[in-house]
Amino acid sequence: DMPQRGPLDVVESRVRNLLIDQADLRERAERTRRKEEDARKALLLAVVGVKDAAEAFLADAQAKAPDAAPTAHLGDVVRLMARLLAANQVEEASALGREPDARWHRIVETVVDEATPDGRVTREFVKAYLWMGELLRGGQVAVARRGE
């Protein structure tokens, strides 16, 4: 014989089940939020890559033909991408002329440069970007060193 459950036992059991369901829903919501954040991050990384490629192409095109009309249009595209990134809290973490930040920049080259203080960034091969203050993409830089 099973003991009879009173109304309080039934309520307690239902509350326990509701708490379990609530914890499960919170876990599902968190997984969904992380998935959406990962997808957004991937999209922003793609935009960063396209923006960098467009900027490099624009710089090269302007060096070859500064007054060419296509460069003006490409400049508009670069500005639109920059606005899109800014609207999504993505910012460049430039180190040009400064010491690189080890959290965001990896030194991939040193350049002998008597005019620049040791350890200052002279070139960014890959720009570093932050998203909401966190690293989105790390940068690769060249730093100066005095000749021997």
Side-chain angles (χ1 to χ4, degrees):
D1 274 331
M2 281 186 56
Q4 257 189 321
R5 292 174 38 160
L8 190 55
D9 293 330
V10 171
V11 169
E12 185 179 312
S13 174
R14 288 183 179 168
V15 168
R16 193 175 308 118
N17 287 339
L18 286 172
L19 291 172
I20 289 168
D21 289 345
Q22 182 185 30
D24 183 50
L25 287 172
R26 281 187 181 149
E27 185 179 319
R28 283 190 213 172
E30 180 59 23
R31 276 196 310 263
T32 299
R33 187 197 63 74
R34 281 194 306 264
K35 250 175 118 173
E36 288 174 356
E37 187 173 286
D38 289 347
R40 185 174 175 200
K41 183 177 182 178
L43 177 63
L44 292 172
L45 276 169
V47 172
V48 161
V50 171
K51 178 182 171 281
D52 285 350
E55 285 176 335
F57 182 82
L58 180 61
D60 188 49
Q62 285 176 331
K64 291 177 182 170
D67 296 326
T71 61
H73 298 299
L74 189 56
D76 292 341
V77 171
V78 169
R79 284 187 291 283
L80 284 171
M81 284 186 280
R83 281 203 307 261
L84 171 69
L85 292 170
N88 283 278
Q89 298 174 295
V90 175
E91 59 186 306
E92 288 183 18
S94 179
L96 278 176
R98 299 191 314 256
E99 292 186 10
D101 187 320
R103 298 172 297 170
W104 303 325
H105 304 101
R106 185 165 52 101
I107 299 169
V108 295
E109 185 177 295
T110 57
V111 178
V112 176
D113 185 343
E114 297 299 329
T116 305
D118 278 349
R120 299 292 173 113
V121 173
T122 59
R123 183 173 175 199
E124 291 179 311
F125 295 105
V126 176
K127 292 179 186 178
Y129 285 87
L130 305 178
W131 178 33
M132 297 186 293
E134 300 290 326
L135 184 65
L136 177 65
R137 185 184 76 186
Q140 296 179 5
V141 299
V143 296
R145 71 174 169 83
R146 298 286 171 107
E148 278 146 55

